[in-house]
Amino acid sequence: LTCGPLVPNVKRDILIIGSSTNLQAYDLLENKDLFYKDIPDGVHSILFAYIHSIPNPLILVGENCSIQGFDYTGEERYWNVSGSIVSSMEMCDVDDDGIMELLAGSADNVIRTFKHEEMLFDIPETGKINFMSRVRQDNFAYALENGQIGVYLKRTKAWKIRHKQKVTALLGIDFNSDGKCDIVMGFENGRLEVRDDVAGTMIFKKNFAAPIAKLLYADFRMQNSMQVICCTTDGEVKGFSVVAQSKADKSGTGAEAENIGDLNREKQSLMNELSIISGESNASAA
């Protein structure tokens, strides 16, 4: 599933549904199909994106050794060859020319980079590329079938880690509103982790009772405040609104210092009482 404003000059999103045999574009407001296409090789990955030199947005479909792009009428506007089953796709400016390139991760453990129909370069990996997510204009996060997670800056690997559990959802956003980009990861055991994109340092973690199915970033409450929305396979949906780090530090420093001072005073009072009791006991024994 994906969605996006597929129809030119229409702001609302169109729901895109991919299956093992078909691709469907559905207008929820009008309750009608925009198009319904047969995809004999099946939809293995799907991406709403703009391709340079093509004026209207496309639905890109990753198939077996190929990528197709359809406009809002269902007409094919883009086609390219890629190795093996295309398991993941993302857009990123990996050559720093101001134009987004198409990244295609495949089941043959390779990330291929395309500028329109020309392949610029490929990046060999150690496992099937299950997920990719752009973090900044020129870097992206990836997650492999074997549990490896990492970040590429352009075509250079910035860092990587190996996790015992497989990633089931991946999202690149500013999680704690500090102006820096972070990687939000959901795992098959229900674990949620947030790491910074520069060195992979852990920022936040939480455990859910079921595997994480999807991570979203949206103003769900319509209060001009973005939330990270975590959906699990047992139906739990939880949103995280995190206050900017600088504000949290300012508001919490005074209260924390006061609490520590109270605890120290109480500790000293109890130690004095114990000392008095101990002295009286010794006198009685004597």
Side-chain angles (χ1 to χ4, degrees), residues 22-93:
N22 302 100
L23 178 70
Q24 179 184 7
Y26 182 68
D27 189 329
L28 293 169
L29 187 63
E30 298 292 336
N31 191 24
K32 66 178 183 181
D33 287 340
L34 291 185
F35 64 81
Y36 192 89
K37 300 286 292 186
D38 290 332
I39 309 292
D41 289 338
V43 178
H44 296 276
S45 55
I46 193 168
L47 179 69
F48 174 85
Y50 285 86
I51 297 292
H52 181 62
S53 78
I54 299 177
N56 293 326
L58 300 178
I59 297 300
L60 299 176
V61 177
E63 303 175 35
N64 188 6
C65 298
S66 67
I67 302 169
Q68 283 185 285
F70 301 96
D71 66 10
Y72 70 102
T73 66
E75 290 296 316
E76 183 187 285
R77 302 297 182 185
Y78 179 83
W79 185 86
N80 212 338
V81 176
S82 184
S84 187
I85 293 173
V86 181
S87 52
S88 179
M89 293 183 291
E90 183 57 289
M91 304 296 294
C92 187
D93 184 12

Side-chain angles (χ1 to χ4, degrees), residues 52 92-101 115 137:
H52 181 62
C92 187
D93 184 12
V94 292
D95 59 359
D96 205 22
D97 64 349
I99 298 172
M100 291 289 188
E101 285 78 43
K115 185 180 290 293
Q137 179 80 4

